[in-house]
Amino acid sequence: MFHIDIQKTERFTDEKALREARKTVQQSSEDLDNRTGKGSGWLGWQDILQKPNDALLENMDAIGAEIHQKADVFIVCGIGGSYLGAKAVIDALKPEFDDSGPEIVYAGHHISGRYLRQLIRHLEKPKSDGSPKQVYLNVISKSGTTMETAIAFRVLRKWMHDQYGDEAVSRIFCTTSKDGGALNKIIKAYGYRKFILPDDVGGRFSVLTPVGLLPIAVAGIDVKQLVYGAVSAYQDLNKDRSNLLDYVSARYALYKNGYAIDLIASFEPALTSMGGWLQQLYGESEGKNGKGMFPAVAQYSTDLHSIGQMVQDGPRNMVETFLVVDDTGQTVIIDKDNRNYDGLNYLSGKSMEHVNEKALQGTQQAHLEGGVPIFTGYMSQLDAHSLGYAIYYFELATAIFVYALDENPFDQPGVEAYKKEMYHLLGRNNG
Ligand code: PA5
């Protein structure tokens, strides 16, 4: 379903370093299983797979289908772990240029007034038949207090009420913690429909809870397949974790050897947002007390024409992690052209997938020779089950890697620093 090939990292790690890394990583894996590691009260992302909540999945499916049918635009309002997982799965599985079901748009993931103004203008623009757009809104915030999300929600909520009057209440869905936070106060006052993110699941580990599942279901994606893909990974990796531990050990040994950057790359654009989700999972979990690898994302071959030079020939402190799909399910065949002005007839009859695969192999070979250790994550198909499988694989790998760093994978104290400075500059008081 999903595994990572570490062969192309082997020439960059010596036997002894790898043996030591493996020992540390093995211990980290046991600490996680025994629930004796740091932040062990935050392992709900495993518990939801041990006992999948079918009633919740059916509920998500039913509400998602209803909104899918009624909405022209569905707004996902959240930041960080509150939207990146949904975006990763939707971008991976919703066909490009697909106009069946609602348009999924994002808000509350930055503080640009220009963006929000233009979004509202877009919502207000009638459909081609002259009728108004049907808009639904899902605000997602575990804390219920995140400023980016709270401002956008305040603005969009007012717009919804101005637009739909009392009916706005049935068009607004809130995903947050069971108790506490400003969002819970708003839900209580207005009667919006609420979905709960369990207390023991952190934002970036929450894609398989209502945080990710509602937007994913609205996009028309089978949430049961997704979650049960992760359940399969949970069961498989409880039985045999050797591939995952090999991967984490090699990555840890490289990190100890001075490799400071992990560039997550894919030749399939549908997986670029999956890279964005992984970037946050790795970055926010690892980056503590001067430790961790800086995660970056690239979309190839596009970015080979921008950062390719740097990867090939810049400072040798980078590893690459490729996300590869064995079967994308669709392709284009390159036709023969009798005039052959573009000189491409040597490719006639070949699929673009074939060319893309050769581009992947060629790039890996060139980067390897240029001194870049390469991990390759293989997903068998681009479907919900395989994605769910990969999601749990990476969640588990993250937790074990961060335990090897002797840090807590589940907190993010550093994120508070910018907020403190910003609130000070904004003159926030308790009002
Ligand atoms: O992973 C995390 O915990 C964070 O990225 C949060 O998801 C992000 O900061 C948004 O927080 P909240 O959901 O509380 O608005």
Side-chain angles (χ1 to χ4, degrees):
M1 283 293 152
F2 183 80
H3 70 280
I4 294 185
D5 184 341
I6 64 165
Q7 249 184 352
K8 294 188 175 72
T9 64
E10 280 165 2
R11 69 170 78 166
F12 303 95
T13 49
D14 66 61
E15 277 279 307
K16 186 167 167 272
L18 210 49
R19 237 190 350 264
E20 275 166 21
R22 183 57 186 241
K23 224 167 109 191
T24 308
V25 165
Q26 183 67 41
Q27 183 58 53
S28 302
S29 174
E30 283 165 26
D31 290 345
L32 184 71
D33 287 347
N34 297 332
R35 304 202 161 203
T36 50
K38 292 182 177 172
S40 60
W42 288 73
L43 298 177
W45 52 279
Q46 294 190 304
D47 300 337
I48 56 174
L49 302 177
Q50 196 195 0
K51 281 195 208 133
N53 184 341
D54 290 325
L56 173 76
L57 296 179
E58 264 149 41
N59 195 20
M60 291 288 105
D61 203 35
I63 298 168
E66 194 188 328
I67 302 174
H68 182 85
Q69 208 241 325
K70 288 183 176 166
D72 296 306
V73 181
F74 182 72
I75 309 169
V76 179
C77 183
I79 195 167
S82 286
Y83 91 107
L84 285 166
K87 188 168 191 315
V89 175
I90 293 168
D91 287 356
L93 299 182
K94 194 169 165 16
E96 308 280 354
F97 317 113
D98 176 36
D99 56 8
S100 68
E103 178 191 4
I104 312 280
V105 298
Y106 299 90
H109 54 321
H110 49 59
I111 321 173
S112 167
R114 178 177 186 273
Y115 177 91
L116 205 54
R117 169 61 52 220
Q118 291 181 358
L119 171 57
I120 289 171
R121 206 170 291 151
H122 175 64
L123 302 178
E124 285 173 348
K125 199 169 160 207
K127 294 195 279 186
S128 54
D129 65 4
S131 63
K133 286 187 180 121
Q134 300 302 319
V135 180
Y136 287 72
L137 169 64
N138 182 197
V139 61
I140 307 160
S141 178
K142 181 169 185 182
S143 63
T145 54
T146 302
M147 188 200 256
E148 289 87 341
T149 305
I151 293 178
F153 185 47
R154 181 186 272 216
V155 173
L156 290 169
R157 194 157 51 87
K158 179 172 182 317
W159 183 86
M160 297 285 285
H161 280 270
D162 289 348
Q163 200 72 10
Y164 300 114
D166 290 346
E167 207 207 307
V169 173
S170 62
R171 290 171 180 255
I172 296 176
F173 300 83
C174 304
T175 310
T176 189
S177 303
K178 191 160 161 281
D179 310 297
L183 191 50
N184 268 313
K185 283 191 204 152
I186 295 174
I187 294 166
K188 206 164 160 210
Y190 289 84
Y192 300 135
R193 186 105 185 240
K194 172 176 164 178
F195 301 100
I196 294 173
L197 168 57
D199 286 342
D200 56 359
V201 183
R204 58 191 172 278
F205 288 81
S206 69
V207 52
L208 303 174
T209 73
V211 167
L213 296 180
L214 183 60
I216 290 167
V218 170
I221 295 161
D222 190 332
V223 293
K224 264 196 204 145
Q225 288 281 338
L226 180 77
V227 171
Y228 272 88
V231 171
S232 299
Y234 176 79
Q235 291 168 349
D236 289 354
L237 293 166
N238 273 350
K239 279 187 229 129
D240 178 5
R241 212 170 269 183
S242 53
N243 174 263
L244 187 140
L245 295 185
D246 286 348
Y247 161 59
V248 178
S249 303
R251 191 168 181 269
Y252 182 71
L254 289 163
Y255 163 72
K256 287 300 240 184
N257 198 16
Y259 287 87
I261 297 169
D262 188 346
L263 182 61
I264 303 152
S266 178
F267 274 80
E268 180 46 61
L271 288 176
T272 302
S273 300
M274 186 75 182
W277 169 79
L278 187 54
Q279 178 181 44
Q280 191 221 0
L281 185 68
Y282 277 179
E284 219 166 70
S285 304
E286 290 176 27
K288 285 153 203 172
N289 295 312
K291 299 177 200 167
M293 289 171 110
F294 182 87
V297 183
Q299 179 184 303
Y300 288 165
S301 62
T302 317
D303 291 335
L304 290 175
H305 297 258
S306 74
I307 55 170
Q309 176 66 36
M310 178 63 84
V311 179
Q312 185 68 44
D313 224 6
R316 300 299 75 189
N317 62 353
M318 178 187 291
V319 309
E320 262 178 318
T321 302
F322 282 85
L323 302 178
V324 175
V325 189
D326 289 336
D327 177 10
T328 63
Q330 283 180 6
T331 195
V332 167
I333 303 295
I334 301 164
D335 282 339
K336 187 165 179 232
D337 178 339
N338 285 338
R339 296 196 170 157
N340 196 27
Y341 290 138
D342 53 16
L344 289 176
N345 270 357
Y346 73 103
L347 295 175
S348 61
K350 299 270 181 357
S351 71
M352 284 187 68
E353 257 44 37
H354 169 79
V355 179
N356 212 17
E357 194 187 333
K358 296 300 158 204
L360 164 73
Q361 291 167 0
T363 303
Q364 289 199 334
Q365 194 51 36
H367 289 180
L368 190 60
E369 278 159 20
V372 182
I374 290 173
F375 294 109
T376 312
Y378 288 101
M379 212 176 288
S380 42
Q381 275 162 333
L382 199 47
D383 60 17
H385 195 271
S386 307
L387 269 185
Y389 201 104
I391 284 170
Y392 181 71
Y393 186 104
F394 280 119
E395 288 178 343
L396 185 62
T398 301
I400 294 173
F401 185 86
V402 180
Y403 275 175
L405 299 179
D406 195 22
E407 294 295 338
N408 181 350
F410 310 114
D411 65 0
Q412 55 281 332
V415 180
E416 294 310 311
Y418 96 90
K419 295 185 191 169
K420 212 174 131 209
E421 297 293 344
M422 172 178 73
Y423 291 142
H424 175 68
L425 292 169
L426 288 170
R428 181 170 97 157
N429 54 28
N430 291 329

